[in-house]
């Protein structure tokens, strides 16, 4: 037994407590503002820990957090609980946490956890403001449980009083519900510390009985309140409060409170104190003090006076000892020299003055607060002596329960142990800065004879000092006074050690008879988890070896541990010393612990283990049967047998292998297996090429390492009935044991039959041996594939030998069922990821089972052949499945490799194979078109030639194409093109959802969807993609564009849609394509029947989720107009993002259209119908015109060859060739005039200088007259630029301008060439434009004559050039 930390309570709602106490502070951590206060026990403490260890090291905040908040986070350097005043009731039923003016009371409650166990918790029952005066803060709190006066009480408190000291000097008393009972101003300085002393039953006759007392420390005064008077006053106040509440009145009259007040003198600074209690000097000490202080003629009184001892810590001196004489008797001469006699003999008990009422009306309260009560002066009390240390400042003092010792902390990081009776420091610990102290008094355990009536003397008690060092996060337990450290625990750095130092108030020698006081002495509160833990210390840790046999045995165990840790000790010396220590230990439990320690040590050789265990076993057998512990004797005998088995196996492995002759039947069976090996040889060779690649592994995990005896013993144990059981631990340990038993047999190095005989004699079950054999075989796959024929032959021999063991194959198994023995082999092979080794094992087991069943059937009736077919049928299916998995696994080993098994495929459902291959396609980054070319065609004619042609065409260096084709041939139904494309589509969209910035994933998902030939599958997958992944982001993008009224910037896109602006543009394009596919699939689905999905016969037993194709076929049909409505919106948004246009996309639709957006596509919605508002049509037309203008401007950014009609524009992006046709399609749906768009496109192309493309677009314009008028203006702008605005004007041009008709000249001057994007166009293009213009305009057109004048002017300019 050793020290332990036991959780006995959990604090609830710590987050709510912290938020309440720090709600007006700017130092609240930013991340906690988003947390709720619903029973939250843990939070991220990284900011506290970093701030506690290094205040400059702060966690980075997000860019959206204001600078003021960052300054607030910087100020929050210490942990929050260290800034609070915390007090826990000794009965652990009330916890008070206070800071500044606020406080929270947490009371005990019982609740049932998830496991159905009852546990105690502390939950907030009251929180509020405690202060009554402005500017005062809480400085100290204690919780005093008051004993019940009922006769039926058994030691539980009646209620708990919360005593709070304030910086104003007031001391106030509250109930557990925060009701103020009484308040009194005892001194006009801040209250430094509140401490309480309660009644303790004297352990020995003659020990002075200590009275109850509440002590209040001020910077220069000490107030003590008698416990009995305080107990009666608090009860009276509580009763009065209850009566006033029942009667509805507010005023109460608190009773007077008796107290003593001492003025502490001769000490510069006081920080903490302890009231030791009443003490009486012995006659020698009395005479010594009188002689030193009064000289030779000093008088000494006959009876020594009783004195109250007070110990203070602070500075100047570091520790001070004060003594106050009790009663009204004349002080001794020694005290006259130290204190003023008149003060000591004056009346110390006085009625309390200056009472403050509770719950008075506001006027009375203000009047009382304005007039502060009169404060009684303190009686001076001089220091008797102290421990002077000018540089050391004491911080806290903690009094032991026995009132004889005290622990003191100081600013040097030291903990000092004081002997209060002698007034000296007896021990000091260093390295405990900011330490928190507590005491634990442990009683000796009672034995059976201690309960006899004759045993009247009290039990022994041991004292331990608890030190919590927050800087190091460690809790230590030290035995007193000069004892060693008996325990240490690593705890958090922000805990609080809660030590009350008192018990129930109101207990005396009469009422405490028969009570069992249920109080905690010291507790540790961890604010990060809310756990309250108590320290449990066994009594024997305080005893020396001479007084306790158990302590001596524990010392011997520690000595044995130190011996085993020493690696340099000689084996013989180790054996002799270990044997001596084990035989010297007395207690059987400790002896068993020591033996297990020795057997588990890796440094001890096997011979040492055998000899020591044998010696201990012989010693136990020589003792009488009644005195021998049966468990220890069984452990010794069983471990000896296991060590002998380990030694026998080692000897067999060291011997050379004997010639195991094969029988003719075995040889025939092996020939059949070799034929199977030849059949799958090419596949095994390709598989081994991938598995034989070098990889990183740790040396300690290598299966070739020798198995130590300790590992062997840890995995094998004897049961009470004498059988050996193998315990499955970690995979590494299990594989090491399997390699130790069988690997050398597989390699042909050792005799297979001798090893199996030895294991059978050890009574290890054949099933466990079979499990070990198969684990070893599957794990050593690389080595097996190097020599497959030899390994398979030895495995066959081992498997047949194990099958012939007793208990392996049941002799009377039901013919209608399968053999559990062979089912175990099949289950192991099905779960293995090592496909090649599993296939070879299946070959061997299949033939061994077939031979066994055939021989069994020959000796039985023919009617049982049905069982033979059932067993062998399962083997046939398994072998076929393993061959399929081997081909698939070979493909999956292409880097980056993954693994699969039969169980993986079966659990994956009917789409498991397609799902695995689709993930492989994604990892290989294979484009959809590339996959389409690789997949074998399904036409019946000439399919093999097509496959060979594609393999040559692809010609991948790693044979990826060949492997994928081979897998598709093994799974013709599971990997049909539609299924594979469907799963690839789904895999890519899932990956895109994880990383939306990778727009290529979504684009390829749509491309895979296009390759699905079945419209039913296309329709279902499109619907699932839209509802699962697309519509949420699509609606967010639409609302964002509607809000900002333009193409949003990158930051807004990332905030609302979760991706950048470029990714949003690509996303909207994919949405448009997806909805287009959905509409086409919906139209085509009515014309074709749904496909029938099937799987291969051997994989028909798959049980798992439905495939994507099956789910797609189960989807409901969509509402075509609603899909078209969304497709229209997606196209508009895509255009707006692509060309950065200002538009509110939802505003282009009426109310019906807006309400229909983002609804389920399978529902029927009220759609817009009939004529649209002309204003909406105008908005739509303006947007489409801007799209066309943006496209024309984008294609002009290409090279000059753009103007050539034969130049091909790209198929994606803003320069894509299909944008004009998209705009025209949108115009049809949006009820926009198509001819307006066509004329605008022609004008834009001419304005851009792309005359040839403009001439092509002119052919589609219907209203040539309007187009002619528009082009006339454009021609005039070009000519105006050449004649009037060109910097390089020629003389011929000036002369031409002079010859022009005045009407034409005036018209040209009115033209603005700035409207042209490309005003400088060759004259031959302008001449051609004017010629086409003359053809368009009829002769009766108003501007026909103007066009003729333009033609003449252009011809003159052309001729002159």
């Amino acid at each position: 037994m050793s020290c332990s930390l036991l959780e006995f309570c959990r604090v609830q709602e710590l987050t709510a407590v912290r938020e309440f106490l720090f709600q007006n502070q700017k130092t609240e951590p930013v991340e906690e503002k988003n947390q709720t206060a619903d029973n939250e026990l843990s939070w991220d403490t990284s900011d506290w820990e970093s701030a506690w260890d290094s205040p400059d090291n702060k966690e980075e905040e997000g860019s959206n957090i204001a600078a003021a908040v960052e300054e607030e986070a910087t100020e929050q350097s210490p942990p929050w609980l260290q800034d609070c005043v915390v007090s826990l009731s000794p009965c652990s039923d009330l916890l008070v946490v206070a800071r500044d003016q606020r406080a929270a009371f947490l009371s005990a409650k019982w609740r049932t956890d998830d496991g159905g166990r009852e546990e105690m918790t502390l939950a907030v029952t009251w929180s509020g403001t405690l202060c009554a005066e402005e500017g005062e803060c809480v400085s100290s709190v204690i919780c005093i449980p008051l004993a019940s006066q009922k006769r039926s009480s058994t030691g539980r408190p009646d209620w708990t009083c919360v005593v709070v000291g304030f910086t104003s000097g007031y001391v106030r008393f509250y109930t557990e519900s925060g009701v103020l009972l009484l308040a009194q101003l005892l001194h006009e300085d801040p209250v430094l510390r509140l401490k309480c002393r309660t009644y303790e039953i004297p352990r020995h006759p003659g020990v002075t009985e200590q009275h109850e007392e509440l002590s209040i420390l001020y910077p220069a005064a000490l107030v003590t309140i008698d416990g009995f008077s305080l107990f009666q006053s608090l009860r009276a106040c509580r009763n009065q409060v209850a009566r006033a509440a029942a009667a509805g009145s507010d005023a109460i009259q608190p009773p007077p409170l008796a107290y003593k007040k001492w003025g502490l003198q001769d000490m510069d600074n006081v920080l903490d104190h302890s009231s030791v209690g009443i003490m009486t000097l012995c006659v020698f000490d009395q005479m010594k003090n009188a002689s030193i202080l009064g000289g030779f003629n000093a008088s000494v009184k006959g009876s020594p006076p009783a004195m109250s001892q007070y110990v203070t810590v602070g500075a100047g001196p570091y520790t001070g000892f004060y003594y106050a004489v009790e009663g009204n008797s004349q002080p001794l001469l020694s005290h006259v020299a130290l204190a003023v006699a008149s003060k000591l003999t004056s009346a110390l008990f006085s009625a309390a003055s200056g009472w403050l009422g509770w719950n008075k009306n506001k006027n009375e309260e203000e009047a009382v607060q304005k007039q502060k009560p009169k404060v009684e002066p303190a009686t001076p009390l001089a220091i008797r002596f102290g421990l002077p240390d000018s540089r050391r400042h004491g911080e806290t003092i903690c009094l032991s329960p026995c009132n004889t010792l005290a622990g003191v902390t100081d600013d040097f990081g030291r903990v000092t142990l004081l002997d209060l009776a002698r007034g000296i420091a007896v021990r000091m610990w260093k390295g405990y800065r900011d330490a928190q102290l507590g005491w634990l008094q442990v009683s000796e355990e009672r034995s059976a004879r201690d309960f006899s009536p004759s045993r009247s003397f009290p039990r022994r008690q041991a004292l331990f000092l608890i030190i919590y060092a927050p800087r190091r996060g460690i809790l230590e337990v030290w035995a007193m006074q000069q004892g060693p450290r008996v325990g240490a625990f690593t705890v958090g750095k922000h805990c609080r050690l809660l030590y009350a130092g008192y018990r129930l108030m109101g207990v005396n020698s009469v009422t405490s008879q028969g009570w069992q006081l249920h109080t905690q002495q010291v507790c540790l509160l961890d604010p990060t988890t809310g756990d309250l833990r108590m320290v449990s210390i066994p009594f024997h840790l305080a005893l020396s070896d001479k007084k306790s046999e158990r302590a001596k045995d524990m010392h011997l165990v520690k000595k044995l541990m130190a011996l085993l840790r020493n690696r340099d000790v000689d084996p013989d010396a180790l054996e002799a010393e270990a044997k001596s220590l084990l035989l010297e230990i007395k207690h059987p439990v400790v002896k068993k612990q020591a033996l297990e320690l020795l057997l588990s040590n890796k440094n001890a050789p096997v011979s040492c283990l055998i000899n020591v265990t044998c010696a201990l076993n012989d010693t136990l057998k020589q003792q009488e049967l009644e005195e021998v512990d049966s468990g220890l004797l069984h452990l010794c005998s069983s471990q000896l047998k296991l060590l002998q088995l380990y030694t026998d196996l080692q000897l067999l492995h060291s011997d050379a292998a004997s010639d195991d002759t094969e029988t003719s039947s075995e040889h025939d069976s092996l020939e059949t297996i070799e034929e199977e090996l030849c059949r799958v040889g090419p596949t095994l060779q390709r598989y081994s090429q991938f598995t034989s690649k070098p990889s990183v592994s740790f040396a300690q995990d290598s299966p070739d390492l020798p198995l130590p005896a300790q590992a062997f013993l840890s995995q094998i144990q004897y049961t009470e009935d004498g059988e050996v059981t193998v315990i499955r631990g970690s995979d590494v340990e299990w594989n090491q044991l399997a390699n130790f038993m069988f690997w050398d047999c597989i390699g042909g190095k050792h005799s297979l039959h001798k090893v199996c005989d030895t294991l059978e004699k050890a009574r290890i079950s054949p099933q466990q041996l079979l499990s070990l054999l198969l684990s070893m075989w599957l794990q050593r796959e690389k080595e097996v594939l190097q020599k497959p024929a030899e390994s398979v032959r030895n495995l066959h021999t081992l498997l047949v030998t194990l099958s012939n063991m007793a208990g392996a194959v049941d002799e009377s198994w039901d013919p209608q069922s399968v053999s559990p023995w062979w089912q175990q082999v099949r289950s192991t092979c099905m779960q293995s990821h090592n496909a090649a080794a599993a296939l070879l094992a299946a070959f061997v087991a299949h033939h061994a089972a077939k031979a066994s069943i055939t021989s069994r059937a020959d000796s039985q009736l023919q009617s049982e052949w049905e069982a033979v077919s059932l067993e062998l049928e399962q083997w046939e299916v398994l072998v076929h499945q393993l061959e399929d998995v081997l081909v698939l696994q070979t493909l999956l080993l292409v880097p980056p490799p993954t693994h699969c098994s039969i169980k993986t495929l079966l659990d994956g459902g009917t789409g498991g194979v397609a799902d695995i291959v689709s993930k492989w396609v994604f990892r290989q980054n294979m484009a959809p078109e590339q996959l389409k070319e690789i997949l074998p065609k399904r036409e019946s004619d000439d399919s093999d030639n097509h496959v060979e042609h594609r393999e040559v065409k692809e010609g991948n260096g790693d044979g990826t194409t060949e492997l994928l084709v081979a897998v598709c041939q093994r799974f013709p139904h599971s990997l049909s093109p539609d299924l594979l494309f469907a799963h690839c589509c789904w895999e890519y969209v899932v990956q895109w959802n994880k990383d939306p910035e990778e727009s290529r994933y979504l684009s390829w998902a749509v491309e895979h969807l296009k390759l699905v030939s079945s419209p039913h599958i296309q329709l279902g997958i499109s619907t699932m993609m839209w509802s699962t992944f697309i519509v949420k982001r699509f609606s967010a993008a639409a609302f964002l564009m509607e809000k900002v009224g333009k193409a949003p910037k990158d930051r807004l896109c990332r905030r609302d849609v979760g991706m950048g602006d470029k990714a949003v543009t690509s996303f909207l394009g994919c949405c448009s394509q997806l909805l287009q596919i959905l509409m086409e699939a919906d139209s085509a689905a009515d014309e074709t029947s749904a496909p029938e999905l099937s799987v291969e016969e051997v994989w028909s037993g798959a049980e798992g989720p439905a495939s994507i194709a099956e789910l797609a076929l189960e989807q409901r049909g969509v509402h075509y107009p609603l899909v078209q409505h969304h497709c229209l919106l997606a196209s508009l948004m895509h255009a707006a993002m692509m060309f950065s246009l200002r538009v509110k996309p939802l505003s282009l639709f009426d109310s019906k259209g807006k309400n229909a957006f983002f609804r389920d596509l399978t529902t029927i919605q009220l759609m817009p119908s009939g004529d649209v508002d002309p204003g909406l049509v105008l908005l739509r037309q303006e947007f489409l015109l801007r799209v066309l203008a943006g496209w024309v401007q984008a294609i002009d950014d290409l090279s000059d060859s753009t103007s050539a009609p034969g130049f091909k524009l790209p198929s994606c992006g803003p320069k894509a060739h299909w944008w004009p046709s998209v705009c025209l399609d949108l115009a049809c749906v949006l009820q926009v005039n198509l001819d307006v768009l066509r004329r605008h496109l022609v004008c834009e192309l001419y304005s851009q200088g792309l005359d040839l493309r403009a001439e092509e677009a002119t052919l589609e314009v219907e209203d040539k007259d309007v187009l002619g008028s528009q082009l006339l203006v454009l021609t005039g702008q070009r000519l105006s630029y050449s004649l009037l605005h060109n910097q390089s004007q020629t003389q011929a041009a000036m002369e031409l301008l002079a010859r022009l008709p005045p009407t034409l000249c005036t018209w040209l001057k009115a033209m603005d060439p700035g409207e042209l994007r490309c005003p400088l166009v060759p004259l031959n293009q302008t001449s051609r434009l004017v010629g086409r213009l003359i053809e368009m305009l009829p002769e009766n057109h108003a501007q026909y004559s103007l066009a003729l004048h333009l033609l003449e002017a252009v011809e003159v300019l052309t001729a002159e050039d």
Side-chain angles (χ1 to χ4, degrees), residues 501-713:
Y502 56 91
R503 297 196 180 189
L504 271 69
M505 178 171 282
V507 180
N508 52 44
S509 58
V510 177
T511 58
S512 63
Q513 295 295 328
W515 276 16
Q516 296 291 332
L517 299 181
H518 306 284
T519 57
Q520 300 289 347
Q521 298 187 51
V522 61
C523 304
L524 185 72
L525 173 61
D526 189 349
T528 59
T529 60
D531 293 339
L532 264 175
R533 292 180 285 180
M534 63 178 180
V535 184
S536 175
I537 307 174
F539 177 81
H540 70 80
L541 292 180
L543 302 178
S544 63
D545 295 345
K546 298 179 181 179
K547 298 180 181 179
S548 171
E549 288 185 354
R550 181 181 289 272
K552 182 178 180 180
D553 287 347
M554 295 302 295
H555 174 71
L556 293 176
V557 171
K558 291 181 179 179
K559 190 174 180 181
L560 178 61
M561 292 173 60
L563 177 67
L564 296 176
R565 287 197 202 102
N566 188 2
R567 298 186 178 183
D568 299 330
V569 66
D570 182 68
D572 296 335
L574 173 64
E575 178 182 337
E577 186 69 17
K579 185 185 301 183
S580 174
L581 292 173
L582 269 173
L583 296 178
E584 192 175 350
I585 295 175
K586 302 298 183 183
H587 284 74
V589 176
V590 183
K591 185 172 291 190
K592 183 178 179 181
Q593 178 184 352
L595 179 59
E596 292 174 346
L597 189 67
L598 175 65
L599 293 173
S600 62
N601 186 265
K602 295 182 180 180
N603 298 329
V606 181
S607 59
C608 171
L609 299 180
I610 294 176
N611 295 335
V612 173
T613 309
C614 186
L616 180 59
N617 189 47
D618 294 341
T619 305
L620 293 175
K621 290 181 178 180
Q622 293 174 4
Q623 298 177 3
E624 296 183 5
L625 188 60
E626 293 79 5
E627 298 178 359
V628 177
D629 185 76
S630 58
L632 180 59
L633 184 60
H634 174 71
L635 176 65
C636 292
S637 59
S638 62
Q639 296 301 308
L640 272 178
K641 293 178 183 177
L642 293 179
L643 287 171
Q644 188 61 45
L645 174 61
Y646 176 80
T647 308
D648 294 342
L649 289 176
Q650 271 194 329
L651 291 176
L652 286 175
H653 293 340
S654 61
D655 295 340
S658 61
D659 295 329
D660 293 332
T661 58
E662 295 180 357
T663 63
S664 59
S665 60
E666 290 178 348
H667 183 70
D668 295 339
S669 179
L670 290 176
E671 285 184 354
T672 309
I673 297 177
E674 289 174 358
E675 293 176 1
E676 299 283 352
L677 288 177
C678 293
R679 182 172 58 82
V680 299
T683 307
L684 288 175
Q685 186 177 2
R686 287 199 302 268
Y687 179 86
S688 61
Q689 289 176 357
F690 289 104
T691 57
S692 61
K693 292 181 179 180
S695 59
V696 178
S697 61
F698 295 98
Q700 59 266 28
D701 295 337
S702 173
D704 296 324
L705 289 177
L707 181 71
Q710 291 75 17
F712 183 83
L713 295 177

Side-chain angles (χ1 to χ4, degrees), residues 700-764:
Q700 59 266 28
D701 295 337
S702 173
D704 296 324
L705 289 177
L707 181 71
Q710 291 75 17
F712 183 83
L713 295 177
S714 65
Q715 298 186 72
I716 301 181
Q717 67 178 9
Y718 259 93
T719 59
E720 295 183 356
D721 55 0
E723 293 186 356
V724 176
T725 304
V726 183
I727 304 172
R728 175 133 199 180
S730 64
D731 291 339
V732 175
E733 295 175 347
W734 181 264
N735 291 329
Q736 284 182 347
L737 179 61
N739 280 282
F740 172 72
M741 289 184 175
F742 296 113
W743 174 241
D744 288 335
C745 300
I746 295 294
K749 300 178 182 179
H750 308 308
S751 173
L752 286 70
H753 294 288
K754 288 184 179 180
V755 171
C756 293
D757 292 342
T758 304
L759 294 174
E760 185 177 12
K761 291 177 181 177
R763 298 185 66 182
I764 302 178

Side-chain angles (χ1 to χ4, degrees), residues 233-394:
S233 300
L234 292 176
R235 287 187 62 206
C237 287
R238 185 166 180 262
N239 294 335
Q240 183 65 28
V241 166
R243 294 191 191 100
S249 60
D250 293 336
I252 64 171
Q253 186 66 31
L257 198 63
Y259 66 94
K260 301 177 186 178
K261 186 174 181 181
W262 304 102
L264 304 177
Q265 297 181 342
D266 304 321
M267 193 164 177
D268 297 342
N269 187 19
V270 180
L271 295 180
D272 199 1
H273 78 290
S274 279
S275 176
V276 182
I278 300 175
M279 60 169 295
T280 303
L281 292 176
C282 64
V283 178
F284 177 80
D285 288 339
Q286 181 188 12
M287 298 176 68
K288 179 189 68 174
N289 291 338
S291 300
I292 293 176
L293 298 174
F296 179 77
N297 296 320
S299 62
V300 180
K301 192 173 181 180
S303 60
M307 298 177 293
S308 295
Q309 182 183 13
Y310 304 103
V311 183
T312 59
V313 295
Y318 157 62
T319 304
F321 290 79
Y322 293 86
Y323 295 87
V325 177
E326 292 292 319
N328 295 326
S329 60
Q330 185 70 23
L332 299 179
L333 180 62
S334 58
H335 298 292
V336 173
L338 295 174
V340 180
S342 61
K343 295 291 182 182
L344 288 175
T345 56
S346 64
L348 297 176
F349 290 85
S350 60
S353 61
W355 284 93
L356 279 180
W358 176 76
N359 266 356
K360 295 182 179 180
N361 58 47
K362 289 187 176 180
N363 295 332
E364 291 179 352
E365 268 190 27
E366 290 174 359
V368 172
Q369 288 178 356
K370 288 178 182 178
Q371 298 179 359
K372 280 199 171 184
K374 179 182 178 182
V375 177
E376 294 292 336
T379 302
L381 183 63
I383 191 172
R384 170 72 62 86
F385 61 89
L387 301 180
D389 192 335
S390 59
R391 297 180 57 195
R392 189 183 307 272
H393 292 183

Side-chain angles (χ1 to χ4, degrees), residues 1075-1267:
L1075 293 169
Q1076 191 68 34
I1077 295 172
L1078 188 54
M1079 290 190 293
E1080 295 174 359
D1082 183 57
S1083 302
D1086 299 333
E1087 303 174 359
T1088 60
S1089 59
E1092 294 183 2
L1093 304 178
S1094 60
V1095 295
E1096 294 74 18
E1097 184 179 358
V1098 295
W1099 295 101
S1100 58
E1103 295 180 359
S1107 66
I1108 295 298
E1110 290 175 344
L1111 293 177
L1113 294 177
E1114 295 174 359
Q1115 299 300 311
R1116 295 166 53 193
V1118 297
H1119 185 44
Y1120 186 90
L1122 185 59
V1123 179
Q1124 187 182 33
H1125 193 53
H1126 282 85
C1127 184
L1128 182 63
L1129 178 63
S1131 300
L1132 295 175
M1133 293 170 60
H1134 183 214
M1137 288 295 297
M1138 183 64 73
F1139 300 106
S1140 301
L1141 302 178
R1142 301 184 66 88
V1143 67
K1144 293 186 176 182
L1146 298 180
S1147 300
L1148 299 178
F1149 300 88
D1150 56 12
S1151 58
K1152 291 181 181 178
K1154 292 180 182 178
N1155 292 332
F1157 281 127
F1158 318 123
R1159 305 286 183 178
D1160 188 359
L1161 298 181
T1162 61
T1163 59
I1164 299 178
Q1165 301 293 331
L1166 187 62
M1167 303 297 297
S1169 60
D1171 295 335
V1172 185
D1173 181 24
L1176 273 181
V1177 175
L1178 186 60
L1179 285 177
R1180 296 171 177 179
Q1181 178 178 304
E1182 290 179 357
F1183 174 72
L1184 293 177
L1185 294 179
R1186 279 183 283 150
V1187 173
L1188 289 174
W1191 176 74
V1192 173
Q1193 190 173 359
I1195 64 173
D1196 187 57
D1197 295 339
L1198 295 172
S1199 60
D1200 295 338
S1201 59
T1202 306
S1203 59
F1207 179 79
K1208 291 184 178 180
L1209 293 174
S1211 59
C1212 60
K1215 305 179 181 66
H1217 61 84
W1218 40 261
W1219 277 112
S1221 61
V1222 167
C1223 290
L1224 295 177
D1225 294 339
L1226 293 176
C1228 294
V1229 184
L1230 295 174
Q1231 301 183 14
V1232 176
N1233 191 344
L1234 298 180
D1235 210 48
V1236 174
L1237 298 183
R1238 295 190 184 106
R1239 294 198 301 267
H1240 181 75
L1241 176 61
V1242 172
C1243 294
E1244 287 292 329
L1245 288 171
Y1246 274 119
S1247 175
Q1248 199 72 43
L1250 306 175
D1251 289 20
L1252 295 179
R1253 293 191 179 275
E1255 291 175 5
E1256 293 179 359
T1258 305
L1259 301 177
E1260 300 180 4
V1261 177
E1262 297 177 358
D1263 194 346
K1264 304 288 186 181
D1265 294 353
V1266 179
L1267 179 61

Side-chain angles (χ1 to χ4, degrees), residues 959-998:
T960 303
T961 302
E962 180 185 354
L963 293 175
L964 182 56
V965 171
V967 172
C968 292
Q969 290 173 350
R970 297 291 304 189
F971 297 93
H973 302 294
S974 299
L975 291 181
S976 61
D978 277 1
L979 281 180
L980 185 54
F981 285 133
H983 279 269
C984 288
C985 168
W986 194 257
E987 178 64 23
Y988 271 103
V989 75
V990 167
Q991 296 297 332
W992 169 81
N993 189 56
K994 295 178 182 177
D995 186 8
E997 290 292 337
E998 285 289 342

Side-chain angles (χ1 to χ4, degrees), residues 18 77 105 312 317 402 406 476 517 743 755 774 816 943 996 1066 1084 1142 1178 1251 1281:
R18 185 185 185 193
S77 56
F105 295 178
T312 59
C402 58
E476 296 181 345
L517 299 181
W743 174 241
V755 171
L774 294 176
Q816 299 298 327
S943 61
S1066 176
R1142 301 184 66 88
L1178 186 60
D1251 289 20
Y1281 179 80

